[in-house]
Amino acid sequence: QVQVVESGGGLVQAGGSLRLSCTASGLVFESYVIGWFRQAPGKEREGVSMISGHGKRTYYTDSVKGRFTISRDNAKNTLYLQMNSLKPGDTAMYYCAAGRMSSAGWPPQESDFRYWGQGTQVTVSP
């Protein structure tokens, strides 16, 4: 049984930092693309950042480029998202998801992500 568990969310002031972690079990971790998605109240879920199985390819949505860094430790089945210079607009529930790409294109589509965590809340105050 595959389990995906996020941690590290919380309340932080604008300009602050948080590091999210995601552990996945029950799968061959390095065989999966892992991604961070977020959903704010009243908004659609969006892909924030993704990383390929061995970490050679990454993706960031435009609004987080230069502020967020994704990384993974395959030996620990763990994914990280270092979030710096946080803004109130980053407030959302953050989800970790694992998937396999259905095509050769990068980044993968949201539909490629099969296993999802329950989410961790990130709140950035002004």
Side-chain angles (χ1 to χ4, degrees):
Q1 182 180 357
V2 176
Q3 280 194 311
V4 178
V5 180
E6 306 95 337
S7 62
L11 173 65
V12 65
Q13 288 188 326
S17 299
L18 282 174
R19 188 174 83 154
L20 304 184
S21 298
C22 167
T23 58
S25 59
L27 50 72
V28 181
F29 189 74
E30 61 264 29
S31 296
Y32 283 79
V33 176
I34 312 291
W36 288 100
F37 295 78
R38 67 185 179 187
Q39 188 167 23
K43 294 187 177 181
E44 292 187 357
R45 187 165 60 191
E46 66 166 339
V48 176
S49 184
M50 302 170 192
I51 188 167
S52 60
H54 292 285
K56 292 182 179 180
R57 289 189 291 184
T58 59
Y59 162 82
Y60 298 93
T61 194
D62 285 346
S63 63
V64 309
K65 285 179 181 177
R67 300 188 297 122
F68 290 11
T69 302
I70 193 170
S71 62
R72 64 191 294 163
D73 185 340
N74 288 343
K76 296 181 179 179
N77 281 24
T78 301
L79 175 79
Y80 304 99
L81 185 69
Q82 178 67 43
M83 306 187 295
N84 298 329
S85 302
L86 282 161
K87 304 175 181 180
D90 295 317
T91 295
M93 184 70 79
Y94 282 71
Y95 299 92
C96 176
R100 296 192 181 208
M101 294 176 60
S102 60
S103 68
W106 182 263
Q109 302 300 308
E110 184 173 324
S111 58
D112 290 331
F113 291 86
R114 178 176 180 183
Y115 303 109
W116 292 79
Q118 294 298 309
T120 186
Q121 178 67 38
V122 171
T123 302
V124 184
S125 63

